Amino acid sequence: MKNGTKEITLVAILAAIIAISGSFKFPGIIPGTEFQLSAPIAVAICATFGFKRYITAGIMASLVNLALGTHTIFNVIVAMVFRLVAGGMIGILGSSLLVVSLAGPIGTVCARVVLSYITSTPIKVLVVAALPGMLYTLLSSYLLFRIVENITLKTPYKDFIVSNNRLKKTAIKTSAS
């Protein structure tokens, strides 16, 4: 039961981080091109803790944001498409530099395509407005993944790191030398 309790608290913490980070928007040079810090943080969470925990925390975060009135149903749809695509890429392809870096921008493009169909807005307009944020996400996701992973290694949640097998192999090689 101890691991069950730790699992529940970890997912709740991740949900809070996702929900709160979605509130931080950095302005872009052109109006409407703001960058949400939640994208690279979400990718880092998925790469560190795995798709199942990430998607569960993401659903919880969306429900909290809806309940608080800080997000609309459109925000939630966009976020869920992003989560499914970016998280699915990481879940299927792993947490390499290339996959973690590209998962966010590809998830953003897919989310913008869905939003385009919902709002009848040209896809090109929505994707162009998202380009600065996609660039920030591309450049920061892998770095944030490594930071989250390294911080988590110093906590009681280190056993929940999905890439822990890689870390254990590295530790075994190091101690064998």
Side-chain angles (χ1 to χ4, degrees), residues 129 150 160:
N150 286 330
F160 293 96

Side-chain angles (χ1 to χ4, degrees), residues 21 31 54 87 120 156-157:
S21 67
Y54 165 65
S120 298
Y157 296 100

Side-chain angles (χ1 to χ4, degrees), residues 35 40 101 104-105 108 127 129-141:
F35 166 64
S101 297
T108 299
V127 171
L131 283 175
M134 290 167 53
L135 179 63
Y136 297 142
T137 301
L138 175 87
L139 297 174
S140 63
S141 292

Side-chain angles (χ1 to χ4, degrees), residues 106-123:
I106 291 171
T108 299
V109 168
C110 292
R112 295 298 174 126
V113 168
V114 169
L115 185 61
S116 168
Y117 284 108
I118 293 171
T119 62
S120 298
T121 304
I123 294 170

Side-chain angles (χ1 to χ4, degrees), residues 56-75:
T56 304
I59 291 168
M60 290 171 59
S62 288
L63 291 173
V64 167
N65 285 328
L66 270 176
L68 292 174
T70 57
H71 281 84
T72 67
I73 194 68
F74 293 120
N75 297 111

Side-chain angles (χ1 to χ4, degrees), residues 3 52 85 94 98 103 112 153 175:
N3 275 343
K52 182 180 172 189
V85 173
L98 185 64
R112 295 298 174 126
L153 283 170
S175 64

